[in-house]
Amino acid sequence: MNKQDLARIVLVHGAWADGSGWEGVHAMLTRAGHRVSIVQHATASLADDVAMTKLVLDEQDGPVVLVGHSSGGAVITEAGRDPKVAALVYVAGWVPDSGESVEMLLANPSVPASQPPILPPRGGFLWLDRARFHESFAADVDAAKAAFLADSQPPWGVAAYQAKVTSPAWRTKPSWYLVSANDRMIPPDGQRWMAKRAGSSVVESDGSHAIYVSRPDVVASLIMRAGAAVRATREQPSSPRP
């Protein structure tokens, strides 16, 4: 297969994390011949995170599969309207509708409330309790790795948490959703509800909220499935005009 025919893949991390968490997924995708870019954004505000994502999208020379984990789901929901984006993949991610924020989704009775150890805001930012990071965010990651993730967590901006999506890309573009069945940050039932509302193709796998770290094989497989669907759609012959 000509590599030029493959969709480009852009990975967007979520809150309390950075792009390095995608290393395992990146390795599997690039080993399969895919071209992968990782967005390093500050998670301080939704507008800035979307702007950074669009900078990376601007560098792509083909159709893009845009992937978001956790609050990165809100980012790709907004940034995914870019004409280069052909498909969305949510990895245990938030999927807001028009006028919704992550804060509003947490208050939605259709998204069962979890009890993540979020500390009170300081200076406009939110942190996860380091002592409980392993059990809540990365329960299936080994203790040493989880400790590193906890100690290297960037804070999440309250402005990003409260920002409302304007026009969700999933209303006009195909999407896929990976439900992490053992998630203690975004309850699996809430993930299923958001995926159903968005009309996403759903795959479920055992895994914590950090499933992109602990199960890169499952994540990479779903991304490649989305890429194959994009390619198949592009290869369909055009209907003859009358």
Side-chain angles (χ1 to χ4, degrees):
M1 181 183 298
N2 189 329
K3 289 185 179 180
Q4 292 299 318
D5 294 333
L6 296 175
R8 307 311 186 248
I9 298 166
V10 173
L11 306 174
V12 182
H13 65 81
W16 304 299
D18 63 25
S20 65
W22 292 112
E23 183 177 4
V25 174
H26 176 275
M28 291 184 173
L29 292 173
T30 54
R31 194 177 303 131
H34 296 275
R35 187 175 301 175
V36 183
S37 299
I38 298 173
V39 180
Q40 291 281 14
H41 57 104
T43 70
S45 75
L46 180 61
D48 286 346
D49 294 347
V50 168
M52 185 61 68
T53 301
K54 288 188 173 182
L55 284 176
V56 176
L57 291 173
D58 287 344
E59 296 300 310
Q60 309 306 310
D61 60 357
V64 174
V65 176
L66 185 59
V67 184
H69 170 255
S70 191
S71 65
V75 178
I76 71 169
T77 296
E78 187 78 19
R81 300 198 312 272
D82 188 287
K84 288 186 178 180
V85 176
L88 308 167
V89 177
Y90 293 90
V91 179
W94 293 104
V95 190
D97 200 350
S98 178
E100 281 184 344
S101 64
V102 173
E103 180 182 44
M104 293 168 68
L105 281 171
L106 279 170
N108 189 320
S110 296
V111 182
S114 59
Q115 298 296 324
I118 303 174
L119 298 173
R122 299 197 305 271
F125 289 89
L126 300 166
W127 302 79
L128 282 186
D129 186 343
R130 290 185 182 185
R132 296 177 58 196
F133 191 101
H134 189 184
E135 67 180 78
S136 59
F137 193 97
D140 56 354
V141 176
D142 71 76
K145 177 69 172 178
F148 175 79
L149 293 174
D151 290 343
S152 63
Q153 63 170 301
W156 187 19
V158 172
Y161 170 67
Q162 295 177 336
K164 297 177 181 178
V165 163
T166 58
S167 180
W170 52 261
R171 287 202 172 274
T172 58
K173 297 185 180 182
S175 63
W176 283 256
Y177 198 108
L178 176 59
V179 174
S180 52
N182 310 117
D183 202 316
R184 298 176 185 172
M185 296 291 293
I186 306 177
D189 281 347
Q191 295 181 37
R192 297 180 188 108
W193 178 82
M194 289 186 289
K196 182 178 180 180
R197 182 176 69 167
S200 304
S201 299
V202 178
V203 170
E204 293 202 21
S205 176
D206 289 339
S208 70
H209 192 59
I211 192 169
Y212 70 116
V213 177
S214 62
R215 295 299 310 275
D217 55 328
V218 173
V219 176
S221 176
L222 181 59
I223 294 169
M224 288 190 282
R225 182 184 303 183
V230 168
R231 187 168 61 251
T233 299
R234 289 172 60 86
E235 290 173 353
Q236 288 178 355
S238 300
S239 300
R241 294 185 179 181

